Amino acid sequence: PTSNGEDEPYRLIEQRRTNPRIDAAVSFVENWPHQGIIWACYQHDITQLIDVLGEKKCARYDGFIDQDTAAANLQEFKDGGKQILVANPAKGAEGQNLVMAKSVLYYSNSFRLIHRQQSEDRCHRIGQHNPVDYTDLYCPETVDEDIIDNLREKKEIAEVILGDKFRRWI
C-alpha cells in the first residue's frame, strides 16, 4: 500500500495528452514516400509509435513479440507490405538486410556504439542503389544530448585506435 493506504501510487503529474517527441516523429515520417525504419530503444516507445502511426503502416520488430511474429513482421516489411519498420536496435541491428529502406529515423539511442553502427549498416548492403537519409530525433538539454555526445566520443576513440576515418556521423 502507498502512503494514502491504497494500492495505486499518487500521480503527481497527470499524463500528458500529447507527446512532443511522438508528434515530431509522426510529422517527419509523414513525408516518406518510400519505406523507412524507426529505431527506438524502448518497448513503450515502439508501442506508442505503432499506435499513432497505425498497424496497417508499421511492422514491429523487437523483443516484446515472439520470434515467429517478429520474423513475419520483418518479412512483411521486406516484401513491401508495410511502409515503416519500427524496431529496437538491439534486436534488429545485426544480420539483417534492409536495403528497401531509404530513410532512417533514430527516435532514441542507447549508449552502445555497436548498436548504432550496426543499425546504420542494415540499409547499406548489396542491393542498395539509393542514398539513405539518417535523422536523429533528440531534445536539447536532456539525456539525448549526453547519449549522442557519448556515442561521438566512442566513435572518435575507435577511429584513433583503428586508424580509420569513418563517414561523417551524428
Side-chain angles (χ1 to χ4, degrees):
T2 60
S3 60
N4 65 356
E6 297 177 13
D7 289 335
E8 289 294 315
Y10 283 120
R11 287 198 187 272
L12 297 178
I13 300 172
E14 275 300 311
Q15 186 173 12
R16 294 180 65 144
R17 298 263 187 245
T18 62
N19 179 330
R21 184 181 285 261
I22 292 277
D23 294 343
V26 168
S27 67
F28 187 79
V29 302
E30 281 178 337
N31 297 320
W32 287 355
H34 49 262
Q35 286 182 285
I37 302 169
I38 301 175
W39 294 109
C41 293
Y42 305 103
Q43 290 176 357
H44 181 73
D45 291 338
I46 293 170
T47 300
Q48 283 187 321
L49 284 161
I50 293 171
D51 285 348
V52 171
L53 292 168
E55 288 185 18
K56 288 184 178 183
K57 189 180 217 177
C58 299
R60 182 180 192 132
Y61 192 73
D62 68 344
F64 185 71
I65 55 178
D66 63 72
Q67 289 286 55
D68 291 338
T69 303
N73 289 353
L74 186 61
Q75 192 60 50
E76 187 172 16
F77 174 74
K78 288 180 175 184
D79 292 342
K82 301 284 182 165
Q83 181 189 8
I84 301 169
L85 179 67
V86 185
N88 180 299
K91 170 86 172 171
E94 294 183 17
Q96 299 299 330
N97 182 338
L98 302 173
V99 296
M100 65 290 308
K102 295 179 187 167
S103 293
V104 177
L105 176 66
Y106 284 89
Y107 185 81
S108 56
N109 282 288
S110 75
F111 283 100
R112 302 215 39 206
L113 179 61
I114 191 70
H115 287 170
R116 176 60 187 239
Q117 290 175 321
Q118 286 290 317
S119 65
E120 286 182 8
D121 289 345
R122 297 310 94 212
C123 296
H124 292 285
R125 292 279 173 260
I126 294 171
Q128 180 59 273
H129 304 291
N130 301 297
V132 179
D133 179 48
Y134 293 91
T135 304
D136 281 275
L137 184 63
Y138 76 97
C139 298
E141 300 179 20
T142 67
V143 70
D144 291 345
E145 283 188 333
D146 294 335
I147 292 171
I148 289 174
D149 288 345
N150 181 274
L151 290 171
R152 283 182 178 145
E153 288 173 15
K154 287 177 180 179
K155 182 182 165 293
E156 289 169 6
I157 291 168
E159 287 175 353
V160 169
I161 291 171
L162 298 173
D164 291 336
K165 283 289 184 189
F166 292 105
R167 63 190 175 270
R168 186 175 176 272
W169 179 72
I170 299 188

